[in-house]
Amino acid sequence: MKLSELYWHRITPLHILLWPLSLLFGLFMRIRKLCYWLDFFPTVKLPVPVIVVDSITTKDGGKTPLILWLVDMLQTRGLRPGIVTRGNLDNPGNPEAVTKNSDPTTVRGKALLMAQRFENICPVWVGGDPADVAQALLKASPECNVIICTTGLQHPRLERDFEIAVADFSESSFGNGLLLPAGPLRTSIRRLHNVDAVVINGSQKYHYDTREWAPTYFMKLVGETIYNLSKPDIRHPITILKNRKLYAIASYENSQWFFDQLLQTGLQSDLHTVAEDHRFVEQDFYDLHAEAVIMPEEDALQCQAFARDRIWALPVEAWISGELQALVLNQLRTKFADSDVLNELFACSANDSYAIKKKKIYWYATRLSDFSH
């Protein structure tokens, strides 16, 4: 556990000093939400349904694989989703479309991953204010009829129709249970009572009373195939690298799942972790004495301009309870009740849905076909 993680999971004299600031932060968040609820501040209501997928902590919680699954599922039903996310911290915040050729230094690895995965079939936009970004996306891509926002639980300006909170139970993601800056929480744990669904990533190692939470669903993250950056269209079982001298690199945010996955598949490699905001450059790979370098797909895509033949990317796949799919579709059925989209939404037969899926996200066609029916 790195130093910042130790900070989030402890209560020290420094935390006691910062605790009043946490109270002020929580008060500010409540007052801001109340002001929007009382219409002191105008909210933005989009002409299409909005699904918010977010974590209540500073950790991602595994929401990116969940979003990939969600987009895939909606597309198999004939819908045309668009993704709204945030850029790098040094991004000026103006709405910007992301493509597979976007500069990794200006957009986050997660946005780059989603743009590459859904090239030409699902627009991905980044920026500071989710409401402004969503409006820009719809203006540029008016065919989109669902917006998925990855940073919305703490942004009441954008009205939403469905909220999914992600909780990472593979480690104590709630830390010491305090709000920022004394703890990792961006909003109170009680926020999980008011969302539409809570997706739990990993098995529960710590005791949390979930009885008053919204309906909970479990998600498992797996990685069984890899591809070389020089030939991204060709997938191989991860075991193809078993007899090679490997070097594994991952940002800290992806490291735990990534290294566990390598151990489960029996790969032996030197392991190296970099900071979450690390910008990969060609010099990072000069002194690596290995036949191949394996990285999480999100990190590997930032290295497309160099070392392509040496780097292998490990995509992550989410396996999620089919009950969550039914819950989301039923909610959309209500939102589209007065729209022509309703006829299109559930018009696909099982075979049609599979065909659409195979065409759009071919590398998951086999593993995720069960979720498309």
Side-chain angles (χ1 to χ4, degrees):
M1 185 177 291
K2 66 178 184 177
L3 182 59
S4 62
E5 293 295 294
L6 288 173
Y7 171 79
W8 292 135
H9 291 79
R10 302 171 63 190
I11 295 182
T12 66
L14 175 61
H15 292 85
I16 296 175
L17 290 175
L18 293 175
W19 180 61
L21 294 180
S22 295
L23 295 179
L24 290 176
F25 176 74
L27 179 62
F28 167 77
M29 298 295 288
R30 287 194 293 270
I31 292 176
R32 186 179 67 162
K33 184 176 181 179
L34 179 63
C35 288
Y36 278 106
W37 185 74
L38 295 174
D39 290 331
F40 291 158
F41 301 147
T43 58
V44 174
K45 176 66 175 177
L46 298 180
V48 301
V50 175
I51 302 174
V52 167
V53 181
D54 202 0
S55 169
I56 67 170
T57 75
T58 56
K59 295 180 64 66
D60 177 88
K63 67 182 180 183
T64 301
L66 173 59
I67 291 167
L68 298 179
W69 171 86
L70 184 60
V71 171
D72 177 34
M73 183 269 291
L74 295 177
Q75 288 177 335
T76 64
R77 293 293 179 172
L79 292 174
R80 296 174 294 277
I83 300 174
V84 170
T85 185
R86 68 180 180 88
N88 287 324
L89 295 178
D90 52 359
N91 189 293
N94 297 323
E96 174 187 354
V98 183
T99 70
K100 67 177 184 178
N101 298 318
S102 292
D103 186 353
T105 63
T106 60
V107 300
R108 302 174 72 209
K110 293 178 174 57
L112 195 62
L113 168 61
M114 291 185 285
Q116 175 143 327
R117 185 71 58 87
F118 301 119
E119 182 184 9
N120 299 326
I121 59 175
C122 176
V124 179
W125 281 64
V126 299
D129 189 299
D132 293 339
V133 178
Q135 289 176 312
L137 186 156
L138 288 177
K139 184 177 180 180
S141 303
E143 71 279 4
C144 288
N145 48 28
V146 179
I147 293 295
I148 300 174
C149 181
T150 74
T151 171
L153 288 182
Q154 291 78 42
H155 293 81
R157 181 168 175 249
L158 177 62
E159 296 187 24
R160 69 286 317 270
D161 302 283
F162 198 85
E163 290 183 328
I164 302 175
V166 184
D168 186 357
F169 275 4
S170 61
E171 54 185 297
S172 184
S173 60
F174 301 145
N176 55 25
L178 300 177
L179 294 175
L180 291 168
L185 297 180
R186 294 183 292 161
T187 186
S188 169
I189 295 180
R190 291 190 298 272
R191 184 69 171 85
L192 299 178
H193 302 178
N194 304 320
V195 297
D196 296 286
V198 177
V199 174
I200 296 175
N201 173 27
S203 58
Q204 185 170 350
K205 298 181 180 179
Y206 302 87
H207 174 71
Y208 297 109
D209 186 358
T210 63
R211 289 174 296 179
E212 296 185 5
W213 289 12
T216 58
Y217 305 89
F218 287 91
M219 172 174 67
K220 181 179 180 181
L221 303 182
V222 296
E224 298 180 343
T225 63
I226 59 175
Y227 64 89
N228 191 275
L229 283 186
S230 63
K231 299 177 181 178
D233 294 334
I234 302 177
R235 306 284 154 154
H236 305 272
I238 190 173
T239 52
I240 196 176
L241 297 180
K242 265 195 173 181
N243 298 322
R244 299 194 188 185
K245 184 177 181 181
L246 298 179
Y247 196 90
I249 304 177
S251 62
Y252 184 82
E253 186 177 25
N254 301 316
S255 61
Q256 188 61 56
W257 171 86
F258 177 63
F259 295 153
D260 289 344
Q261 197 68 29
L262 295 183
L263 292 175
Q264 291 176 14
T265 54
L267 295 186
Q268 301 295 324
S269 64
D270 295 325
L271 306 178
H272 181 63
T273 302
V274 299
E276 295 170 15
D277 58 349
H278 182 75
R279 302 291 187 266
F280 290 99
V281 295
E282 191 169 5
Q283 288 78 3
D284 292 337
F285 303 89
Y286 280 168
D287 298 326
L288 300 186
H289 302 291
E291 297 178 56
V293 178
I294 186 169
M295 305 172 67
E297 184 180 25
E298 174 186 324
D299 299 325
L301 291 177
Q302 301 179 48
C303 308
Q304 294 182 95
F306 51 85
R308 294 168 62 90
D309 294 333
R310 297 183 63 192
I311 297 179
W312 293 78
L314 176 64
V316 58
E317 176 184 344
W319 291 357
I320 304 173
S321 169
E323 296 178 356
L324 178 61
Q325 172 179 307
L327 181 66
V328 173
L329 292 178
N330 286 336
Q331 184 74 4
L332 291 178
R333 192 195 300 263
T334 301
K335 296 300 177 181
F336 284 121
D338 299 325
S339 169
D340 294 337
V341 177
L342 184 63
N343 296 327
E344 182 182 2
L345 180 57
F346 298 101
C348 297
S349 65
N351 291 334
D352 291 338
S353 295
Y354 181 79
I356 294 172
K357 180 179 193 174
K358 185 175 181 181
K359 178 180 179 181
K360 294 183 176 179
I361 312 178
Y362 57 89
W363 55 81
Y364 281 166
T366 301
R367 289 291 181 183
L368 294 183
S369 60
D370 292 338
F371 290 110
S372 63
H373 303 294

